Amino acid sequence: ELKVEQNPLFLSMQEGKNYTIYCNYSTTSDRLYWYRQDPGKSLESLFVLLSNGAVKQEGRLMASLDTKARLSTLHITAAVHDLSATYFCAVDMARGATNKLIFGTGTLLAVQP
Amino acid sequence: ETGVTQSPTHLIKTRGQQVTLRCSSQSGHNTVSWYQQALGQGPQFIFQYYREEENGRGNFPPRFSGLQFPNYSSELNVNALELDDSALYLCASSPDIRGRGETQYFGPGTRLLVL
């Protein structure tokens, strides 16, 4: 059974600091997704990582994928309050990009001024 | 181009009742997936529809069923509601059954409360 684990589950950080969220998954997957969710809202797509070694950056967020280690990271640089949200990683249930996703438990990020 | 829309936004039902949730996929998208997100949890895959046929199902009982229509809009039906069915139900559409590097787009969700 495919499992996706994130850590930490909760992250409180100060503005201006850097931190990394980790996402481990248990079986081979072609691609990995990162989503953001604000309280009471839907999911916003952040990144789609398609291959081993893929790195994508948008603003203060950078995501990377190591398919051999079955690990993805979401790195936050110089955090600002607007980044406060829950972040989910997700992988496809099967190879071939089925769009049937298994989500991690989420990381609740709180950026303190 | 309109995004993914869902209706209703909120719903309150009692145990044993039946509910139908609706989703209109993004223009040009023929694949719709449904997810259940309980409070404080990540979304869980319920099932996917591709060109009006069910294309894969997660670990949900048969009382969760769905439909996809020729215009690719979709319904999620839940019979014999249980308290644990209280959750945010999300639908997501994608342009094709395979991601091909594109992500799927999530609707705003329907929040269901079962009393």
Side-chain angles (χ1 to χ4, degrees), chain B residues 79-102:
Chain B
N79 293 322
L81 283 167
E82 301 178 0
L83 297 179
D84 285 349
D85 295 334
S86 296
L88 179 67
Y89 288 85
L90 297 164
C91 79
S93 74
S94 54
D96 194 76
I97 196 168
R98 291 180 177 269
R100 301 188 193 283
E102 298 183 50

Side-chain angles (χ1 to χ4, degrees), chain B residues 61-80:
Chain B
R63 59 190 185 85
F64 285 79
S65 63
L67 282 174
Q68 188 178 31
F69 300 99
N71 66 355
Y72 303 133
S73 65
S74 178
E75 286 184 354
L76 164 64
N77 299 290
V78 187
N79 293 322

Side-chain angles (χ1 to χ4, degrees), chain A residues 37-77:
Chain A
Q37 188 175 40
D38 291 298
K41 303 292 185 182
S42 187
L43 297 171
E44 174 191 353
S45 175
L46 295 175
F47 302 108
V48 182
L49 301 169
L50 301 178
S51 60
N52 187 42
V55 177
K56 288 194 174 180
Q57 183 164 5
E58 181 73 34
R60 300 174 188 275
L61 300 178
M62 183 174 69
S64 65
L65 177 62
D66 181 344
T67 58
K68 293 178 182 178
R70 297 177 186 168
L71 170 69
S72 180
T73 61
L74 181 66
H75 187 73
I76 303 151
T77 302

Side-chain angles (χ1 to χ4, degrees), chain B residues 20-106:
Chain B
T20 297
L21 311 181
R22 296 179 175 81
C23 171
S24 291
S25 58
Q26 188 159 320
S27 177
H29 289 191
N30 59 22
T31 304
V32 173
S33 302
W34 285 91
Y35 294 82
Q36 179 196 66
Q37 186 178 21
L39 198 61
Q41 305 287 323
Q44 285 194 290
F45 175 74
I46 304 175
F47 44 56
Q48 183 183 85
Y49 278 82
Y50 171 63
R51 294 186 176 180
E52 304 178 57
E53 296 287 331
E54 186 179 295
N55 179 57
R57 188 179 186 91
N59 189 25
F60 281 82
R63 59 190 185 85
F64 285 79
S65 63
L67 282 174
Q68 188 178 31
F69 300 99
N71 66 355
Y72 303 133
S73 65
S74 178
E75 286 184 354
L76 164 64
N77 299 290
V78 187
N79 293 322
L81 283 167
E82 301 178 0
L83 297 179
D84 285 349
D85 295 334
S86 296
L88 179 67
Y89 288 85
L90 297 164
C91 79
S93 74
S94 54
D96 194 76
I97 196 168
R98 291 180 177 269
R100 301 188 193 283
E102 298 183 50
T103 191
Q104 48 189 320
Y105 296 88
F106 282 82

